[in-house]
Amino acid sequence: MKTTIYDVAKASGVSIATVSKVINNSGRIGEKTKKKVLETINELNYHPNMIATALTGKSTFSIGLLIPDLANPFFAELARSVEDRAHELGYNLVICSTDYNPAKEMKYVDLLKRKNVDGIIFASGFEQLDKIEELNESLPIAVVARDFPSSNVNTVSFDDYLGGFKATSHLIELGHEKIALIGRDVWSNRERKRGYEDAMHNNDLNYKFRFEYIEESNVEWGKYMAGKYMTSEDPPTAIVACNDLLASGAIQAVKEYGLSVPDDVSIVGFDNTIIATLTDPLLTTIAQPIKSMGKHVMDLMSNEIENNVTDKSRITLIPKLVTRGSTKQVNKRIVQS
């Protein structure tokens, strides 16, 4: 009978995850343990074969990650952080970019199931929550960058409501009263919009502008919506954009109308991606702890797979305001929380 990874783990006196880490040269394994596993691999003449392992229904040490938009630096950085941690833990990551397309999402889910992945991580943007609950009955599932309070699924989320509240409160504190918002209709942005609305309401600000959810979360749509606001009857003096790409587009639009950021219009972005350090001026933004999100969700996934954990965890990370040159004080104001 052909030697399996389970045989190597048993003969070495370690877990199969440790054997995988030695094979992939990943993770923190002591030299003594590594030497013992390598000696056992040689003694048993073990040759890893992931395809054969998948066909037997055993662990493939592979995880699926569904990302809505790899062109967005936030999701690209999130995917990288998950992949880095997966490699440290001895897993391979299969990344699927879904473009917010429900049909494409399910196509990739079916593909990952056929590949016998050990688990699937769903990033923010996936709205078919009933499918997640259905999959959770047969496969380890985790959700990252969005909350999922109604289901028993491992979740690593970001307090988007508080992020929207902080971004808006920062602008109010600088003296702005006419503050507009730009965002796409996805769960995270709906929460950020709630935070924006509460900050405005708490400070008795009733600025009326024609808000509408946009179709894409990219530079072009940020530029388009900011342009509409700048040409309205009562243009804003500040804008909260629900990601850094939108904020970058807003900065371009303001400049094209002959105005200055931040002298005429202050702009706050979201995510604190590399984009925030490339705009002119540099972008004030709400930072998401992207590396921590990727690490936490992969740790939860690995723990469920290797230890058969049934009690799920919910981790909520707190936003941080990073101030740069795109916001400016116009009048001092005491902000009501």
Side-chain angles (χ1 to χ4, degrees):
M1 182 179 294
K2 187 174 181 179
T3 302
T4 69
I5 193 171
Y6 294 89
D7 298 324
V8 175
K10 184 177 180 181
S12 302
V14 299
S15 69
I16 57 174
T18 298
V19 176
S20 176
K21 291 174 186 177
V22 172
I23 293 170
N24 291 295
N25 192 29
S26 63
R28 297 179 180 178
I29 305 296
E31 287 302 318
K32 185 177 179 180
T33 300
K34 182 183 291 187
K35 182 180 179 182
K36 174 62 176 176
V37 172
L38 290 174
E39 288 175 349
T40 304
I41 288 173
N42 289 328
E43 290 171 4
L44 299 181
N45 195 27
Y46 172 63
H47 300 287
N49 186 329
M50 288 302 181
I51 295 176
T53 303
L55 291 174
T56 64
K58 296 179 181 178
S59 177
T60 60
F61 295 97
S62 59
I63 304 295
L65 173 64
L66 266 64
I67 290 287
D69 183 11
L70 272 176
N72 184 328
F74 168 75
F75 290 116
E77 292 178 27
L78 178 62
R80 178 58 186 268
S81 68
V82 175
E83 184 177 40
D84 286 347
R85 185 56 176 164
H87 180 71
E88 291 175 357
L89 295 172
Y91 290 88
N92 298 306
L93 195 67
V94 182
I95 302 173
C96 305
S97 185
T98 65
D99 299 320
Y100 294 95
N101 184 321
K104 202 171 182 181
E105 289 169 352
M106 296 318 301
K107 177 182 176 182
Y108 278 130
V109 167
D110 291 339
L111 173 66
L112 293 170
K113 288 169 65 178
R114 290 199 302 272
K115 286 184 174 294
N116 284 79
V117 296
D118 294 337
I120 301 177
I121 298 172
F122 294 88
S124 175
F126 192 91
E127 298 285 346
Q128 302 181 76
L129 302 186
D130 57 327
K131 299 297 182 182
I132 293 180
E133 292 183 327
E134 182 181 317
L135 285 167
N136 192 40
E137 297 177 1
S138 59
L139 189 69
I141 297 296
V143 176
V144 64
R146 72 156 295 163
D147 199 7
F148 193 8
S150 63
S151 187
N152 187 33
V153 175
N154 281 320
T155 305
V156 178
S157 63
F158 172 77
D159 195 331
D160 288 285
Y161 168 85
L162 182 57
F165 190 91
K166 280 190 171 184
T168 310
S169 296
H170 168 65
L171 293 169
I172 295 172
E173 189 174 40
L174 293 177
H176 293 279
E177 297 184 353
K178 298 179 180 180
I179 305 170
L181 180 73
I182 302 175
R184 179 177 183 160
D185 188 13
V186 293
W187 182 86
S188 58
N189 291 348
R190 292 194 288 270
E191 287 297 293
R192 293 169 192 181
K193 181 174 180 286
R194 281 204 313 119
Y196 159 86
E197 291 171 339
D198 281 356
M200 295 289 281
H201 176 75
N202 290 355
N203 289 277
D204 299 320
L205 297 178
N206 298 308
Y207 174 58
K208 300 297 183 182
F209 69 104
R210 190 172 179 179
F211 174 79
E212 57 187 275
Y213 282 118
I214 55 177
E215 294 181 17
E216 303 287 344
S217 296
N218 55 30
V219 173
E220 290 74 17
W221 274 94
K223 186 176 180 179
Y224 170 73
M225 285 308 301
K228 287 187 69 172
Y229 295 156
M230 291 301 101
T231 56
S232 64
E233 292 184 0
D234 191 17
T237 65
I239 295 173
V240 175
C242 285
N243 71 26
D244 292 342
L245 287 172
L246 293 171
S248 175
I251 289 175
Q252 292 180 29
V254 170
K255 290 181 177 180
E256 288 188 4
Y257 282 95
L259 301 174
S260 168
V261 177
D263 292 337
D264 299 307
V265 182
S266 286
I267 296 176
V268 178
F270 243 94
D271 299 334
N272 197 34
T273 61
I274 191 172
I275 297 295
T277 65
L278 299 176
T279 58
D280 181 21
L282 301 183
L283 183 63
T284 294
T285 187
I286 298 294
Q288 296 202 57
I290 302 174
K291 289 185 179 180
S292 294
M293 294 170 81
K295 180 182 183 301
H296 283 310
V297 76
M298 191 59 226
D299 284 347
L300 292 176
M301 176 63 74
S302 173
N303 191 36
E304 181 173 357
I305 292 169
E306 296 176 20
N307 300 314
N308 196 28
V309 175
T310 56
D311 292 333
K312 307 302 172 74
S313 298
R314 177 168 284 109
I315 299 172
T316 303
L317 302 177
I318 303 302
K320 178 183 177 182
L321 176 71
V322 179
T323 56
R324 297 191 179 96
S326 67
T327 54
K328 180 180 179 180
Q329 187 163 319
V330 291
N331 290 299
K332 185 65 178 176
R333 179 178 178 131
I334 298 175
V335 177
Q336 301 298 316
S337 61

